[in-house]
Amino acid sequence: MCGVFFSLHGYDIEENTSSQELVYSLCANLRKANAERGPDRQSSIVRRISDPQDLKRPVRTAEFYGSELRLRGEAAIQQPHELNGNILCWNGEIFGGLEVGPQENDGVKLLEALAAAKEADEIIGIFGRLEGPYGFVYYHAALNQILFARDPLGRRSLLVHRPTAELPALLISSVSSGTHPNLNFEEVSTDCIHCLDIPTFDRSYAVTSNFVEACESSTSQLPRCPQDLKLPYAAPANVNPAIPPAEFPQVQTLGQIPIYLQGPVDEFLAILDKATWLRVRDIPRTGAEGSARVSVLFSGGIDSTVVAYLAHKHVPLDEPIDLFNVGFENPRKMKLQQAGNIGALPRRQQKQKKQALENGPPPAEPSYRVPDRVTGLQELEELRRLCPGRTWNFVEVNVPYEETQNARERVEDLMLPSRTVMDLSLALALYFAARGKGQIRSAPAADPVPYTSPARVVLSGLGSDELLGGYGRHRTAYGYGGWPAVIEELQLEIDRIPTRNLGRDDRIISSHGKETRHPFLSLDVVSFVAGLPVHYKMDPRLETGTGDKMLLRLLTQKLGLVEASCRKKRAMQFGSHSARMDGEKKGDAALAE
Ligand SMILES: NC(=O)C[C@H](N)C(=O)O
């Protein structure tokens, strides 16, 4: 994924004040942090604008910085993109809405389209027709405006620090570079396109010499979907509010699709398959001939297995696909595992025994047989049976406790401004999994050999629980409020996607010079699933493993992935044992400073 960084401040190069020094050193750190995201090329375009009264004195400096992880097109690409004075820092992928040929680069094509626009509405129209994840900063020369935004689902990270008296600079960046008491990064909101009007800024700054005020008075929020425009990708879809009929045939077994669901299963498969295809095709080769270009965050759960299987259909058969399966040495868990099944003991004794074990010494040999490793290996077998001729590199990523401790500070910096205990356990799991460094085996009983994945694209199964009602809370909602409550919960789920975890995950994974892609979060998939009547997606009256995200389970079994089709939901931090390493209790508690 690419790195985007933009700064605007009012310092003269020769000023040498301490606050200027702070801005300069933060900018240097932010350039560095963004460079990791785009290892292919990095560069800056700097614009110094003079005071009209005194042309020798620069009154504001704008820097556009971009780092490139080339994933589209054959030619070398330099970021930021520049055309006739227009500048685009682009971290994104165009999967629809603008023609990009297999040999072409999406950033280059997008800038051509943007540069031709004469009015802001045209620019808004271009983005409202684009399907794909993005975060960008764009300077449009004719309008003399700076625009920045993320896609409506927030699938790419973009942070903003708005100028304050302590740090009078506008900073927009894909990633933070650690904490500083004066740096107030927050995620750029996805409900609008943010705009800074340069002429307004200049007028205000010339009169008041107050940078903070000038920035405030010149920034505005442009609606993503002006009333008279019909834009298919300007906002995530609304959930179908229809209440199911009092009686409808229930799914008896996942192996038998009731007639009324046969069409929806097929249509869902076609749309998800296309979304996956768009995310694995035309990836330029950067590793050795015959090496993997595509990898999957692979827990062996239903979502990641379906994604791996669909990727297989579109990646050339002679090319391996890497499956990243992460397991943590978690001293607390290992001590408990050592004790065997204490669940059979009476409660009081269980508690006493647990405490004694937690205080005792850890086992001598770390174990990486975490729940996700067990299901991962089972699904590997199922995929091997179903996809003859494909090499699946099952990458066992084993993370010793000490390595987790050593990486902690870096991961905490990368995930900022996210800062809870749960953020950290998820971020650690993603950080190590996506790095793709571990061991592989040529056969189940063979000795492992070290392996580092060269794949730049990392597929993730995230999103299906949100769309199809895969969480326990959906069942709970049915319990207290019936179908209307489930529908409300599903809508909330979609509305929350942009502010939840995707920005954080992007910041973590991209630090390895890789890019996550989420087939379930294609806007086409989202609007198809959202539009289905609720009882087509899930049936909370059926047991877990059947009724939760039922439509996907039917699809999965239809593909032949019988074992995968009935796997139960397990959060990544628990499946990999990255959670509660040191006995932390509350996931939503803020991390200690
Ligand atoms: N990787 C990126 O985010 C930018 C663009 N899709 C490229 O491949 O150049």
Side-chain angles (χ1 to χ4, degrees), residues 350-369:
Q350 264 186 47
K351 207 170 160 196
Q352 283 167 353
K353 185 133 195 204
K354 264 192 184 171
Q355 249 164 24
L357 284 164
E358 288 193 16
N359 296 333
E365 268 298 301
S367 159
Y368 297 105
R369 270 198 89 71

Side-chain angles (χ1 to χ4, degrees), residues 2 68-72 79 90-93 105-106 515:
C2 302
E68 169 73 12
L69 176 75
R70 186 169 60 86
L71 284 167
R72 303 289 286 273
Q79 286 244 34
W90 173 243
N91 169 33
E93 296 300 336
N105 181 269
D106 53 342
E515 164 165 310

Side-chain angles (χ1 to χ4, degrees), residues 476-507:
T476 315
Y478 183 76
Y480 67 72
W483 288 111
V486 177
I487 293 168
E488 204 178 303
E489 192 67 38
L490 285 172
Q491 184 63 58
L492 207 74
E493 215 63 79
I494 293 188
D495 296 344
R496 258 191 315 226
I497 289 176
T499 50
R500 282 194 103 197
N501 310 327
L502 295 167
R504 175 199 66 204
D505 298 353
D506 169 18
R507 294 189 285 282

Side-chain angles (χ1 to χ4, degrees), residues 177-256:
S177 59
T179 46
H180 185 283
N182 295 347
L183 185 60
N184 303 324
F185 266 138
E186 57 184 63
E187 303 217 333
V188 167
S189 62
T190 55
D191 51 356
C192 62
I193 292 189
H194 303 261
C195 170
L196 186 123
D197 186 66
I198 299 282
T200 313
F201 174 92
D202 282 347
R203 270 194 305 276
S204 164
Y205 199 34
V207 174
T208 61
S209 290
N210 184 327
F211 188 86
V212 179
E213 214 180 289
C215 246
E216 247 167 45
S217 63
S218 54
T219 34
S220 58
Q221 306 194 327
L222 312 177
R224 292 201 87 124
C225 200
Q227 262 161 15
D228 45 338
L229 289 181
K230 270 217 161 354
L231 301 173
Y233 298 124
N238 286 329
V239 166
N240 184 334
I243 306 290
E247 299 275 330
F248 61 90
Q250 267 191 9
V251 168
Q252 302 298 331
T253 131
L254 291 174
Q256 219 173 17

Side-chain angles (χ1 to χ4, degrees), residues 51 117 130 135 144 169 173-174 204 210 225 269 279 381 385 402 465 471 473 502:
D51 181 345
L130 280 192
N144 206 4
S173 176
S174 299
S204 164
N210 184 327
C225 200
L269 177 57
R279 282 159 177 77
E381 280 316 305
R385 275 199 306 274
E402 205 185 323
D465 290 310
Y471 289 113
R473 54 180 173 266
L502 295 167

